[in-house]
Amino acid sequence: MSVILILGGYGGFGARLSRRLAARGHRILVAGRHRDKAVAFCDAVPNCHPVVADRDGDLAAVLAEHRPDLLIDAAGPFQTSGYHVIEACIAAGVDYLDLADGRAFVAGIGTLDVAARRACTIAISGASSVPALSGAVVRDLAVGMEQIMSVEMAISASNRAAAGASVAAAILSYAGKPLTVWRGQRRARAFGWQEIGQERFVLDDGTTLGHRLVALADVPDLELLPERLPGKPAVSFRAGTELAVQNVTLWLASWLVRWRWIGSLSALAPWLLPLQRRMAGWGSDRSGMVVRLFGLAGGKRVERRWTLIASAGDGPEIPTLAAELLAERIVAKELAPGAGDAGPMLALEDFAPAFAGLAIRHETRQIAQPAPLYQRVMGDTFARLPDEVRRMHEVLRDGGAHGRATVERGTHPLARLVGALMGFPRAGEHELHVGFREDQGVERWTRTFSAQSFHSNLGEEAGQIVERFGPLRFHFDLPGDEQGLTMVMRSWSIWRIPLPLALAPRTMAREWEEDGKFQFDVPIALPLIGPVIHYRGWLTPDAE
């Protein structure tokens, strides 16, 4: 019988993990700051024994006294934690495991690998829904895919699965703060608990959670997955609770941090938990998780989707399953010494027995994706385009290209005003990056000239390309051949109100291939005013 010490062993996830491992016959030391809570928990659970321990205190004495085979940190939060607990375990020769979801904490654990190997100990971080389960799902979906353009994940928790203090503190610590994401084949800036939107959780038999709001969460997968998948795909992870009012309230509050009106929402933590407890009777007992991969499989554009729906209040068990599986392997001496994250350590099939014992259903499906936007508009002509021109327009969910551009700006005062309002770049030579984001057939192009960006959305209407800048819409035909393509404006509007073509901007954008690169030339002028901007240059896909 192994001895396992669990920090936070009577808390939300820690209590569930303590019960699971105790039921497997291990001697569980349920540790925390409050002895009375540990005693009350252990009185009701066989094989559990109370221990007073503070994860921020002197753990060396606790480890020396109880000599556990394994320490599991289920306390957190890990977003602001150092590695003192792991270092104490390595110094004492005790194996270590945690349920961390702190991005920097989990991604940086490899810095302790040498020390762990020398001490013949194991240190694993992130044995939870992320990155352990999410990593297992992603690898399962990725089998047979030649290239992956985007990984998109979301979790929605049942309202009755009230978040513990550490979970609430973790979310509030990054809400509204800048975080780094991999998009458009480069690092970009986003903001915690923003980009709020709806996610649909549904199984093939019609079982569904409906549409739930989720927002951007800062998790280890954002750092780990791009480097581990073919094509170095964009990665996003969004999370939320079941009740829309909770998500919207937190989203609104996150703007106070983004606008720098306040430094952090962490001060709200003491108010958040009592408020959630008062709302605990609302909503349902069902949670969901979805993982989507977009890419090429057998040369075809596909989405591979894994969906999980948990009922009967079993959703909160999911974050403990990876820790249970890895704890068994650690105490059975099945793992080699060293320190690393749990992302690559489990397969999806490893979770099957645990899922079967819970009110959990999950399934995987593959969904064919439509042809690229330009191909849908151009039809058979698209195949005749030069290779580099065609490749630049084969956007599936995410992409990026880099190159150089020369920009000329009009000198008329009104031309300068229009250029400023549109956010056009200054005149001169520029490093250029174009990020592509595709969603439901609409492409968002973000053009960054040196450090200055502007963007537009491109879609399809009535067999034409429609480029939208705010309320302005420009309709183009796309004549093309082996030499390249041209964008010919046919109409324009504002808020969909047609405007006279005689007053439209004058433009004849061209794209072609030269020296093995995608070349472009985009002049824009206005009647009576003259040139507004003229930019030309070359691009090559970032994936190369």
Side-chain angles (χ1 to χ4, degrees):
M1 178 174 63
S2 299
V3 178
I4 301 176
L5 188 152
I6 303 181
L7 295 176
Y10 53 77
F13 296 134
R16 291 178 169 87
L17 183 58
S18 294
R19 294 188 189 97
R20 287 185 163 276
L21 292 174
R24 286 178 172 265
H26 301 291
R27 186 172 188 267
I28 306 302
L29 305 181
V30 178
R33 296 186 180 95
H34 306 287
R35 180 174 180 81
D36 54 341
K37 293 182 179 180
V39 169
F41 178 85
C42 293
D43 284 345
V45 182
N47 292 337
C48 287
H49 307 274
V51 171
V52 176
D54 185 347
R55 72 185 299 269
D56 297 322
D58 182 13
L59 288 176
V62 176
L63 296 174
E65 177 182 355
H66 297 282
R67 298 302 306 168
D69 299 291
L70 170 66
L71 180 146
I72 302 178
D73 191 347
F78 297 89
Q79 276 71 12
T80 57
S81 290
Y83 292 124
H84 55 279
V85 176
I86 308 177
E87 291 167 345
C89 287
I90 291 175
V94 174
D95 291 329
Y96 169 90
L97 183 67
D98 67 43
L99 279 69
D101 64 355
R103 177 176 177 174
F105 185 94
V106 176
I109 191 175
T111 59
L112 300 174
D113 184 57
V114 172
R117 290 177 185 272
R118 287 175 178 169
C120 293
T121 59
I122 297 168
I124 300 174
S125 185
S128 191
S129 300
V130 292
L133 174 57
S134 55
V137 173
V138 167
R139 286 194 307 281
D140 185 77
L141 294 177
V143 173
M145 296 185 74
E146 305 95 61
Q147 184 177 2
I148 301 168
M149 285 75 166
S150 182
V151 178
E152 301 170 17
M153 299 170 281
I155 287 179
S156 176
S158 157
N159 185 55
R160 300 179 188 176
S166 63
V167 175
I171 294 172
L172 293 174
S173 71
Y174 63 76
K177 293 186 176 181
L179 55 92
T180 301
V181 294
W182 183 257
R183 289 177 180 167
Q185 288 295 307
R186 70 172 187 169
R187 293 190 178 274
R189 188 172 73 158
F191 293 87
W193 216 261
Q194 300 220 326
E195 302 183 18
I196 193 168
Q198 289 189 333
E199 183 64 63
R200 188 171 182 234
F201 301 83
V202 61
L203 302 177
D204 281 343
D205 66 359
T207 302
T208 181
L209 302 181
H211 290 84
R212 292 189 178 182
L213 288 178
V214 289
L216 188 64
D218 194 18
V219 297
D221 305 70
L222 301 182
E223 190 75 24
L224 300 172
L225 287 179
E227 301 292 341
R228 293 176 175 174
L229 295 169
K232 201 170 183 180
V235 176
S236 68
F237 189 98
R238 296 189 296 167
T241 63
E242 178 181 3
L243 299 183
V245 64
Q246 295 175 342
N247 296 298
V248 171
T249 299
L250 184 54
W251 171 73
L252 290 172
S254 73
W255 284 96
L256 302 179
V257 178
R258 179 171 179 176
W259 291 334
R260 299 182 181 180
W261 291 1
I262 59 175
S264 170
L265 296 180
S266 296
L268 299 179
W271 301 88
L272 185 61
L273 292 179
L275 179 61
Q276 185 163 7
R277 292 190 187 103
R278 291 187 178 184
M279 302 174 71
W282 302 5
S284 70
D285 59 1
R286 299 195 300 166
S287 304
M289 180 173 179
V290 63
V291 178
R292 294 191 176 99
L293 268 63
F294 295 85
L296 302 179
K300 297 181 179 179
R301 297 159 57 92
V302 301
E303 174 197 346
R304 287 186 175 171
R305 180 189 303 174
W306 178 82
T307 305
L308 175 148
I309 292 180
S311 305
D314 282 347
E317 297 289 336
I318 297 173
T320 69
L321 301 182
E324 179 185 6
L325 292 168
L326 288 172
E328 288 292 329
R329 295 184 182 184
I330 290 173
V331 298
K333 306 300 182 183
E334 296 177 2
L335 301 179
D341 69 87
M345 295 186 177
L346 295 169
L348 181 56
E349 62 184 17
D350 294 330
F351 291 87
F355 286 162
L358 298 168
I360 288 176
R361 300 181 58 198
H362 64 102
E363 66 181 23
T364 300
R365 60 184 303 203
Q366 179 167 298
I367 306 166
Q369 295 298 286
L373 172 63
Y374 274 54
Q375 183 177 349
R376 297 198 306 272
V377 171
M378 299 182 70
D380 294 340
T381 304
F382 185 79
R384 298 169 55 194
L385 294 175
D387 291 344
E388 294 303 316
V389 176
R390 189 174 62 252
R391 290 175 59 198
M392 196 61 63
H393 293 292
E394 291 178 333
V395 181
L396 175 58
R397 215 61 179 180
D398 188 271
H402 68 276
R404 290 194 63 84
T406 300
V407 177
E408 299 173 3
R409 290 287 296 269
T411 58
H412 193 286
L414 289 179
R416 292 179 179 178
L417 176 61
V418 171
L421 292 174
M422 300 297 292
F424 289 150
R426 70 182 190 278
E429 297 290 327
H430 294 272
E431 294 286 340
L432 173 63
H433 182 274
V434 181
F436 308 100
R437 183 66 180 164
E438 180 268 334
D439 186 14
Q440 297 182 351
V442 176
E443 297 178 4
R444 182 181 180 88
W445 290 33
T446 301
R447 306 162 182 88
T448 303
F449 295 77
S450 298
Q452 186 177 358
S453 299
F454 75 97
H455 64 262
S456 63
N457 294 332
L458 289 86
E460 175 191 6
E461 289 183 18
Q464 294 179 322
I465 286 287
V466 179
E467 186 166 18
R468 180 163 59 86
F469 295 86
L472 293 170
R473 293 173 179 264
F474 302 91
H475 295 242
F476 297 91
D477 283 336
L478 297 177
D481 55 24
E482 293 81 359
Q483 303 303 312
L485 68 81
T486 305
M487 298 182 69
V488 180
M489 187 186 300
R490 297 304 187 192
S491 62
W492 69 311
S493 64
I494 183 168
W495 289 296
R496 293 188 177 274
I497 301 172
L499 297 173
L501 190 58
L503 300 179
R506 305 291 189 256
T507 181
M508 187 68 72
R510 296 188 303 116
E511 300 175 0
W512 70 97
E513 180 180 337
E514 185 178 319
D515 298 328
K517 297 176 181 177
F518 171 86
Q519 308 281 338
F520 61 89
D521 189 316
V522 183
I524 301 175
L526 288 172
L528 304 179
I529 294 175
V532 175
I533 189 171
H534 185 179
Y535 58 93
R536 55 189 179 273
W538 59 268
L539 289 167
T540 188
D542 281 330
E544 298 179 355

